[in-house]
Amino acid sequence: MSDWNDKVKRLLKSELVRRGISNSDLANMLEQIGIEETKSSIDSKISRGSFSAAFFLQCLTVIGCEKIEIEEYESQLAIAAEPQVEFNKKNNKIQKVKFIDLFAGLGGIRLGFEKSFQDLGFETECVMTSEIKPYAVETLSAPQSLLTLS
């Protein structure tokens, strides 16, 4: 397994699932030892798989995990693996997701959604964008090539 961030993410997710602990529960447990994390910050860290060793150890400590045998997890990591399902197969046509972007800001959420759907094989079309802040409207009006994720 070459992606270490993915491996540590799945290790932590597996331990949480094994103990029936949600990310909300984890936030409360961390708070009890003086670590301020919200459910959404934990969701974000775990989904990215990029968090500090200190955070990883804090999580393992509060959930009562005293020992991890890495070799044991090599075969069990699929428990918390991300699904590898192709969702867009319907009559061999590529499905299109249409959406509206309310309170658009600078468009970061939109780009994230578009990238995620495109990674799953969907076409995307934003049919409306709504924003009132002038600097954001100016940014959103820029050529689309400036607003792409690589």
Side-chain angles (χ1 to χ4, degrees):
M1 184 173 292
S2 61
D3 187 354
W4 292 101
N5 287 344
D6 187 54
K7 186 172 185 174
V8 74
K9 167 178 80 171
R10 293 191 297 158
L11 276 168
L12 182 54
K13 286 170 85 173
S14 293
E15 286 300 322
L16 292 170
V17 168
R18 181 180 293 190
R19 290 168 169 74
I21 297 172
S22 70
N23 289 352
S24 181
D25 296 333
L26 181 59
N28 292 332
M29 295 167 95
L30 287 168
E31 185 178 11
Q32 291 175 2
I33 63 165
I35 309 299
E36 292 185 30
E37 291 285 350
T38 64
K39 178 195 176 297
S40 60
S41 71
I42 291 172
D43 290 344
S44 178
K45 285 180 180 184
I46 292 176
S47 71
R48 283 191 325 261
S50 56
F51 42 80
S52 69
F55 175 77
F56 183 61
L57 291 174
Q58 291 161 349
C59 292
L60 294 178
T61 299
V62 298
I63 67 173
C65 181
E66 297 175 358
K67 175 173 100 170
I68 291 183
E69 293 187 28
I70 303 298
E71 291 177 11
E72 169 189 339
Y73 282 95
E74 290 295 329
S75 61
Q76 295 179 4
L77 284 178
I79 293 171
E82 300 297 327
Q84 300 296 320
V85 180
E86 292 190 33
F87 297 101
N88 65 340
K89 300 296 182 190
K90 186 176 181 182
N91 299 329
N92 292 326
K93 293 181 182 177
I94 294 178
Q95 294 183 15
K96 188 173 205 171
V97 175
K98 293 182 179 183
F99 62 94
I100 60 173
D101 191 5
L102 301 175
F103 316 106
L106 298 176
I109 295 293
R110 172 186 172 173
L111 292 175
F113 284 137
E114 287 178 336
K115 174 111 173 72
S116 295
F117 277 113
Q118 290 166 359
D119 288 349
L120 291 172
F122 290 91
E123 286 184 17
T124 59
E125 179 184 358
C126 182
V127 294
M128 184 188 89
T129 299
S130 174
E131 181 54 66
I132 61 172
K133 295 179 180 166
Y135 66 88
V137 172
E138 183 180 336
T139 300
L140 291 169
S141 300
Q144 188 64 26
S145 62
L146 297 176
L147 302 174
T148 56
L149 292 177
S150 52

